[in-house]
Amino acid sequence: MDLLALADFNLVARHGGFGRASRAADRPKATLSRRVAELESSLNLRLFERGGHLLKLTQEGRALYERTEALLTELAETATSISSGGDTPRGHLRISAPLLFSQTAMGELAARFALMYPEVSLEVSTDDRMVDMVEEGYDLVIRVNPDPHESLIGRIFLHDRLVVVASPGLRMPQGDSIASAVMRSKRPANTAWDLITPTGLVRIHANPVLSLSSLIMIRSAVRTGIGAAQLPLSLVMSDLQAGTLVQWGEVQAPGIELWALYPSRRLLSARVSAFLEFLKASFPSGAPEELAAYIKG
């Protein structure tokens, strides 16, 4: 297979058209079109659906792009590394991180990483959905308890757990009493929390009185005494230590795991490897206390 033609095909696929690829790479549009046509002919496959101004990858074209884009990137990075005489992290590093982690820790982490690696251009986007790393051009994705994905591998770098907290003036209900609750989404009135307490397992019936989309907002609301809430321990640790909130118990549920995910490939770029090692050094034991240290306010 002609690697140069394959590189031109990836360029066109990445930019979504011959014109955009031509402008981005400052290459003649006719040359790119000819090289892609030669690749299609050599493979005896149609890689793009062409019609009017629309250029869309065929099923075979998408499969070829997804399987070769990372490999070509690795080849280019290897050549750059060798020519520069080392494995110094450099280039553009694009990361997607969840909302709460971004709001509480990612700003400081990103700044520290940028100071350590000035030749890396770091871009962090906030999103709670599972992004398509190849399609959307991410090098690394941070997610909470992600579903298994055959095309991604990853590392756990942080552990957390859910606790139910309330203001000191709000008493924990006993027996069949119902607790006022602040929740992330509207739930039926018969919501129940199973809590692990020093005296054993306790079930609390919760009545949602307020629904908020952000855990930061929920914490602020709970401080007023309007109700109790389930929140990550790291987010409320300073409140518990200061006595502005009290813990009713730990939620009986699987723990919270923060993963750093990246494409399943044998070789990682120097900048991705550097960021993975940076996360490991920033959270050496992966305990909630280490994340709590970044949380202000």
Side-chain angles (χ1 to χ4, degrees):
M1 186 182 296
D2 186 337
L3 286 181
L4 294 178
L6 185 60
D8 285 344
F9 158 73
N10 273 266
L11 178 68
V12 174
R14 183 164 59 251
H15 290 282
F18 290 102
R20 293 177 182 176
S22 171
R23 290 188 292 273
D26 194 23
R27 298 270 306 285
K29 180 179 177 181
T31 299
L32 293 176
S33 180
R34 175 176 57 79
R35 297 297 293 263
V36 170
E38 290 173 352
L39 180 63
E40 288 178 316
S41 178
S42 67
L43 295 173
N44 196 26
L45 289 173
R46 186 172 58 182
L47 301 175
F48 289 106
E49 296 283 1
R50 298 167 175 84
H53 298 289
L54 180 65
L55 189 69
K56 182 179 179 182
L57 285 166
T58 63
Q59 182 177 346
E60 294 80 9
R62 179 166 298 281
L64 182 64
Y65 175 64
E66 290 178 350
R67 296 180 185 182
T68 60
E69 192 268 343
L71 295 174
L72 288 172
T73 300
E74 287 176 7
L75 286 173
E77 290 173 350
T78 299
T80 300
S81 175
I82 292 173
S83 64
S84 63
D87 293 323
T88 302
R90 55 171 54 86
H92 191 64
L93 177 60
R94 192 160 186 249
I95 297 174
S96 172
L99 178 63
L100 181 62
F101 185 73
S102 296
Q103 290 176 326
T104 55
M106 199 63 196
E108 182 177 340
L109 289 169
R112 286 173 45 210
F113 182 82
L115 289 171
M116 290 176 63
Y117 299 101
E119 294 186 56
V120 176
S121 172
L122 179 60
E123 176 189 352
V124 180
S125 299
T126 297
D127 208 324
D128 283 327
R129 67 184 174 87
M130 192 59 212
V131 300
D132 186 320
M133 294 188 66
V134 174
E135 186 75 17
E136 300 179 53
Y138 287 103
D139 300 291
L140 187 139
V141 171
I142 296 172
R143 284 297 177 269
V144 178
N145 293 353
D147 293 328
H149 198 293
E150 63 180 9
S151 67
L152 301 178
I153 55 176
R155 306 177 186 176
I156 301 172
F157 67 93
L158 263 176
H159 296 268
D160 210 339
R161 54 188 185 271
L162 284 176
V163 293
V164 170
V165 296
S167 70
L170 190 65
R171 297 188 61 182
M172 182 174 173
Q174 304 295 322
D176 294 330
S177 299
I178 298 176
S180 297
V182 184
M183 296 192 175
R184 196 169 186 180
S185 58
K186 189 65 177 175
R187 298 187 181 182
N190 62 352
T191 297
W193 294 328
D194 290 321
L195 305 182
I196 301 170
T197 72
T199 58
L201 190 62
V202 173
R203 169 163 287 193
I204 292 179
H205 297 278
N207 177 42
V209 296
L210 186 60
S211 298
L212 300 171
S213 63
S214 161
L215 294 179
I216 297 287
M217 288 195 293
I218 291 175
R219 183 186 61 177
S220 297
V222 170
R223 287 170 175 169
T224 70
I226 192 174
Q230 292 186 31
L231 288 169
L233 177 59
S234 61
L235 184 61
V236 296
M237 192 168 287
S238 62
D239 287 276
L240 295 175
Q241 292 170 347
T244 52
L245 292 176
V246 295
Q247 181 176 322
W248 286 0
E250 181 179 333
V251 178
Q252 188 183 43
I256 300 170
E257 297 175 342
L258 269 75
W259 288 69
L261 302 169
Y262 44 95
S264 294
R265 57 184 193 241
R266 186 170 55 87
L267 296 176
L268 286 173
S269 68
R271 57 184 177 271
V272 173
S273 295
F275 193 83
L276 289 170
E277 290 304 310
F278 173 75
L279 285 178
K280 183 178 179 181
S282 300
F283 305 102
S285 67
E289 291 81 2
E290 293 175 341
L291 178 56
Y294 287 86
I295 299 175
K296 312 295 192 298

